[in-house]
Amino acid sequence: MDERAALALLDGELEAAGDDAAVVDGLVVTTDMLHERTDFPNGTTRYTAGWRAVGASVSDVAAMGAKPTAAVAAYAAPEFDRDELLAFVRGASDVCELVGTEYVGGDLDGHDEFTVSTTVIGRTDDPVRRRGAQPGDVVCVTGTLGRSAAALEFFDRAIDDDDAFLERANDLFRFPPRIAAGRALAPHATAMMDSSDGLARSLHQLAEASDCGFAIEADRLPIDNAVYDVTDDEDEALELATTFGEDFELVATLPEAALSAVRAATDVPLSVIGSVREADDGLTMDGEPLADRGYTHG
Amino acid sequence: MDERAALALLDGELEAAGDDAAVVDGLVVTTDMLHERTDFPNGTTRYTAGWRAVGASVSDVAAMGAKPTAAVAAYAAPEFDRDELLAFVRGASDVCELVGTEYVGGDLDGHDEFTVSTTVIGRTDDPVRRRGAQPGDVVCVTGTLGRSAAALEFFDRAIDDDDAFLERANDLFRFPPRIAAGRALAPHATAMMDSSDGLARSLHQLAEASDCGFAIEADRLPIDNAVYDVTDDEDEALELATTFGEDFELVATLPEAALSAVRAATDVPLSVIGSVREADDGLTMDGEPLADRGYTHG
């Protein structure tokens, strides 16, 4: 059974599951586990790891249109190095500060592989779900796509620890979770999730939850400039931006008339990338079926 | 740097840390990570693992005198077996149901070693801390001590998967988190924590946080009957009950006059095991220093 089948199984068991975060009693709560081998490439600093691990869970809270209340992390490693641990905590604290919440610590644990589990709690009286997209709505994405794909390439290119590529990679890896944008979108969005598994997969998940189709226009995708630093090929750039994932941008549907109100409420760029269609119209990009490919988190 | 030194380091960095759970804005939140090798002996069923992993975090909420609101878990394993996953979710859900909260799901993740990270959120307007014990208070412990120590011995004795020892071990491993007792203690307790690292270590941590001493009487310790099924030696039984840990009972200090009110408010047995002394009097059992030994969670 792969991860998605297992998640589907769990969704059947648990009423509150099946969205970016569970909703209980006015609270949203989300948890993620990240591992060195699959999530932190060689050269990822512990500061970046702390930022990114906590940021990933903050992003799930953003995707519900909620305001984060607190973040915790369980930090497991073969040994506890003072500088590494402090760097991790500072990364975690800094990403929390950026979005106006508090990193309140967590658990420490001996483990063969550096592994981090993060949980973020948020509040909202009116969470935005994955279901609710209406034909005629526009589809938007915050920020840019492909940052993490470019970061991976820079991690690969780095030769030693002082490498400028490493700095660039770490910088790209420390994404800003879209809390403010999520709050601006929340009153208007009919459906929302984050793009952690890639834009294509996120669209498929929204389509399934909302029972709708999407017509996406490739030339409207906000591909990050960093992608063009790692490839000159437009097809490859598009592929990286749509299927690589791990960008933690928000993908939302909303009535076109609400766009100006949302844009007035946040500084984060919001790109319209297409429109919501009937389920029978399928999920297309430039008229061709957009495959359900993406990053299945290992 | 060992786990305790690292935690001390983190406590200096993070204001909300340093208790069983962090307190933020009327919420308590706690997270734990457990691994197959160190926390789930051979023969632990996934049902028991789900119960115990979530129960460990529920226990931290109980130790703050709070009421749990929701529980989540991140489940990492080399493969996702349908029956194992369902058993885990049922164990997690059942322990939540026992204490009147909701298991709302979580994350799934591929990983070499079966690893679970759990987070539980609770609410309280008046959390009970580790600091606050006053000389003259009595020291109490809920339930019995040594269940997990006995369980480990039964796991060791089991020969095959059908073994009756395994059933006994799993049964002992599925502890009831002391939410109701914690709620009954909360209005009166001057300090409280759970005994997950063993009674001796818990007392040392309470003594340090409260700047006090303790005089414990060995013959008042509520040693679980199961301990006497694994040893006939009274000294060994006492050792298992005081230092093995993982029992997830509450250790609390309170004015003696409040005892009857607490006992009237909960069905959980509450044993007075000694009294709070001045810091200069040290931490003793039957007049002898009680060493700071216990389970440092691996």
Side-chain angles (χ1 to χ4, degrees), chain B residues 240-260:
Chain B
L240 291 175
T242 51
T243 65
F244 188 87
E246 297 270 300
D247 280 325
F248 304 100
E249 296 293 348
L250 300 181
V251 186
T253 60
L254 66 163
E256 191 166 12
L259 270 176
S260 57

Side-chain angles (χ1 to χ4, degrees), chain A:
Chain A
M1 192 159 53
D2 71 8
E3 183 189 328
R4 295 175 75 200
L7 281 170
L9 176 68
L10 290 185
D11 288 354
E13 285 288 299
L14 301 167
E15 283 182 22
D19 224 303
D20 291 69
V23 181
V24 189
D25 200 11
L27 296 174
V28 300
V29 52
T30 178
T31 194
D32 295 280
M33 199 187 289
L34 302 179
H35 307 285
E36 183 150 43
R37 214 168 316 159
T38 45
D39 299 293
F40 303 122
N42 268 341
T44 308
T45 65
R46 286 292 157 104
Y47 178 82
T48 296
W51 177 295
R52 192 168 173 84
V54 171
S57 287
V58 171
S59 178
D60 285 328
V61 169
M64 306 301 289
K67 192 173 180 311
T69 303
V72 293
Y75 177 109
E79 56 184 359
F80 302 124
D81 175 85
R82 186 178 191 283
D83 291 340
E84 286 185 351
L85 194 54
L86 277 175
F88 178 87
V89 169
R90 284 177 188 146
S93 298
D94 284 354
V95 73
C96 285
E97 193 182 331
L98 181 74
V99 297
T101 190
E102 196 178 351
Y103 178 66
V104 296
D107 188 34
L108 288 171
D109 207 44
H111 191 49
D112 291 347
E113 187 185 358
F114 174 51
T115 295
V116 184
S117 172
T118 57
T119 302
V120 179
I121 308 162
R123 290 186 203 264
T124 172
D125 293 328
D126 195 11
V128 184
R129 312 277 182 166
R130 293 182 181 179
R131 60 175 182 267
Q134 296 295 325
D137 284 349
V138 292
V139 191
C140 294
V141 62
T142 58
T144 60
L145 300 171
R147 279 170 62 107
S148 286
L152 254 286
E153 179 62 28
F154 287 125
F155 278 121
D156 279 351
R157 288 185 188 175
I159 309 289
D160 62 58
D161 283 352
D162 299 325
D163 202 299
F165 284 130
L166 267 195
E167 199 175 321
R168 183 88 196 275
N170 275 282
D171 187 52
L172 286 166
F173 238 35
R174 293 191 303 269
F175 63 93
R178 298 305 189 187
I179 290 293
R183 302 286 292 160
L185 279 158
H188 308 285
T190 50
M192 187 154 67
M193 68 179 294
D194 79 0
S195 68
S196 54
D197 293 342
L199 177 67
R201 178 144 293 162
S202 298
L203 289 168
H204 274 275
Q205 289 176 300
L206 286 172
E208 193 182 334
S210 294
D211 190 28
C212 69
F214 289 109
I216 304 300
E217 295 167 60
D219 63 4
R220 303 184 79 169
L221 296 185
I223 301 179
D224 199 281
N225 286 335
V227 173
Y228 297 105
D229 291 337
V230 302
T231 182
D232 293 328
D233 185 299
E234 188 58 43
D235 287 344
E236 191 187 349
L238 189 62
E239 174 76 14
L240 291 174
T242 50
T243 66
F244 188 88
E246 298 269 302
D247 281 324
F248 304 100
E249 296 293 348
L250 301 180
V251 186
T253 60
L254 67 163
E256 190 166 10
L259 270 175
S260 57
V262 175
R263 286 187 168 134
T266 176
D267 294 334
V268 176
L270 193 70
S271 304
V272 174
I273 61 170
S275 58
V276 181
R277 299 297 168 92
E278 298 291 345
D280 288 348
D281 296 332
L283 208 172
T284 61
M285 186 155 71
D286 294 346
E288 299 295 318
L290 180 63
D292 184 8
R293 287 177 302 117
Y295 186 74
T296 298
H297 292 271

Side-chain angles (χ1 to χ4, degrees), chain B residues 210-291:
Chain B
S210 292
D211 191 27
C212 68
F214 288 109
I216 304 301
E217 297 167 57
D219 64 4
R220 302 184 79 170
L221 296 185
I223 301 179
D224 198 281
N225 287 334
V227 173
Y228 296 105
D229 292 337
V230 302
T231 182
D232 294 328
D233 185 300
E234 188 59 44
D235 287 344
E236 192 187 349
L238 189 62
E239 174 75 15
L240 291 175
T242 51
T243 65
F244 188 87
E246 297 270 300
D247 280 325
F248 304 100
E249 296 293 348
L250 300 181
V251 186
T253 60
L254 66 163
E256 191 166 12
L259 270 176
S260 57
V262 175
R263 286 185 169 137
T266 176
D267 294 334
V268 176
L270 193 70
S271 304
V272 173
I273 61 170
S275 58
V276 181
R277 300 297 170 93
E278 298 290 348
D280 288 349
D281 296 334
L283 207 173
T284 61
M285 185 156 70
D286 294 346
E288 299 295 318
L290 179 63

